[in-house]
Amino acid sequence: METLSWHVALPAVGAAFLASLVEVVEAFTIVLAVGTTRGWRPALQGSLAGLVVLALLVATLGPALERVPLHWLQLAIGILLLLFGLRWLRKAILRAANIIPLHDEAAAFAAETAELGQAGSRRGRRVDWIAATAAFKAVVLEGLEVVFIVIAVGAGRGLLLPASVGAVAACGLVLAIGLAVHRPLARVPENALKFVVGILLTAFGVFWTGEGLGIVWPGGDLVILTFIAIFLVAGLLSVPAAREIASEERHDPA
Amino acid sequence: MTLLKALLREIISLFVDDGVLALAVLAVVGLSAWALADMRLGEVAAASVLVGGCLLVLVASVLRAAYSKRASRE
């Protein structure tokens, strides 16, 4: 049996943990809004139904992925990770450079609460169904990203278990803090987390895509650390450059 | 049906936010595969295209958004 090396397992656990943290915080905000506005029963019913759908998805996808030849799996997952990771990294850079607004959990909570309140006053008895559906949608939609990240960072080289541990730890942490403070977790440095996760996923994406194409990387798995360093430097340099371009005045020749 | 549409939209938006970025990433992977298949270029060229291409695509997409923000202010 092949033993796991820490330099591969640790980024996988870290990526799954941090990405799940961001997604679970977003889902928690909506479930909390449903619970405090329309009661905890529909919030919990919707959340549980969402978790069942996600579990079914994992149970179906997991065995199906084992039948795909490894290099095709690595190539497909690598490309998806590149698309996913670069999208997160780009967004995090643009948010850090004040080009697009930061995600605000408190504002998301207020918007969801207002929407549910209006739906309640408009539709009377149907509100429980609406509330449960809102919780269900939040859990399924945010959970899908968690499932993809766990499968993507885990399926390529037998890292599904460490990646799942990272995701479950993030869920536990958010639930524990959320139940204790009973408020949306607005102080989570979401953009910094997305920046780090974007770098990790992109580094994994380059690695798996290369492996899937048949590239033998110098240094084997260790090259992932080099990719992390390269994208970290590029990301850090892009923030001030983008901020400067966006804020400077254009001087057209008169 | 609305929920299914929302799910489908969410799955697509997991990977595609900026269409140009997504197409550019696919082009980089294709170029890298072509470099690998071409014996004269070989593995080092394919690896360089993949890493350098992804970097270039990221930086270009960020700068494009910055320039478009500046243009929208004016």
Side-chain angles (χ1 to χ4, degrees):
Chain A
M1 192 177 132
E2 202 178 331
T3 53
L4 286 179
S5 47
W6 67 267
H7 54 267
V8 179
L10 208 62
V13 177
F17 176 79
L18 296 176
S20 304
L21 204 61
V22 174
E23 300 308 329
V24 178
V25 164
E26 290 180 9
F28 177 78
T29 300
I30 297 174
V31 173
L32 189 68
V34 173
T36 50
T37 318
R38 307 308 317 171
W40 288 102
R41 197 172 164 182
L44 291 176
Q45 283 172 337
S47 303
L48 275 177
L51 288 174
V52 169
V53 168
L54 290 175
L56 284 174
L57 201 67
V58 174
T60 315
L61 273 179
L65 287 176
E66 283 172 14
R67 297 180 185 188
V68 180
L70 187 63
H71 78 279
W72 284 115
L73 186 67
Q74 287 174 335
L75 184 60
I77 283 179
I79 293 172
L80 291 178
L81 273 175
L82 277 179
L83 293 172
F84 192 84
L86 285 171
R87 175 181 154 260
W88 269 36
L89 186 52
R90 172 185 178 273
K91 212 174 234 180
I93 292 169
L94 295 178
R95 281 180 172 152
N98 294 324
I99 292 172
I100 55 174
L102 289 167
H103 185 78
D104 185 345
E105 285 307 321
F109 180 78
E112 190 67 32
T113 306
E115 197 175 310
L116 283 166
Q118 280 174 2
S121 57
R122 273 202 315 267
R123 301 192 184 193
R125 290 179 63 191
R126 282 187 66 195
V127 74
D128 275 358
W129 169 245
I130 293 167
T133 307
F136 174 79
K137 263 172 76 176
V139 171
V140 171
L141 296 183
E142 304 301 341
L144 267 179
E145 298 199 41
V146 174
V147 168
F148 166 72
I149 291 164
V150 167
I151 288 176
V153 298
R157 193 162 288 187
L159 293 170
L160 270 176
L161 188 64
S164 306
V165 168
V168 170
C171 293
L173 183 67
V174 171
L175 279 182
I177 298 174
L179 289 176
V181 302
H182 234 71
R183 271 194 320 224
L185 306 182
R187 294 176 73 180
V188 172
E190 189 179 323
N191 203 49
L193 288 177
K194 282 201 163 176
F195 189 88
V196 173
V197 175
I199 289 168
L200 290 174
L201 297 184
T202 306
F204 269 102
V206 171
F207 182 77
W208 293 135
T209 305
E211 291 254 307
L213 289 174
I215 295 171
V216 180
W217 295 109
D221 299 338
L222 269 175
V223 80
I224 292 175
L225 298 178
T226 312
F227 296 153
I228 290 173
I230 290 172
F231 284 100
L232 176 65
V233 171
L236 290 176
L237 290 176
S238 296
V239 173
R243 190 185 293 134
E244 199 177 315
I245 290 169
S247 62
E248 75 188 7
E249 297 295 326
R250 194 163 60 182
H251 300 290
D252 289 328
Chain B
M1 203 61 196
T2 315
L3 187 63
L4 273 179
K5 272 186 193 167
L7 265 174
L8 203 64
R9 204 179 305 123
E10 183 74 11
I11 291 171
I12 293 169
S13 71
L14 279 181
F15 309 104
V16 183
D17 183 21
D18 174 2
V20 177
L21 177 77
L23 282 177
V25 169
L26 295 179
V28 165
V29 174
L31 210 60
S32 178
W34 173 78
L36 197 67
D38 191 323
M39 290 305 169
R40 287 167 302 165
L41 295 175
E43 211 168 275
V44 177
S48 307
V49 167
L50 186 59
V51 180
C54 287
L55 265 178
L56 199 69
V57 162
L58 172 70
V59 173
S61 175
V62 167
L63 296 184
R64 198 167 63 94
Y67 279 114
S68 130
K69 170 83 175 180
R70 187 177 75 172
S72 72
R73 277 194 307 114
E74 289 165 355

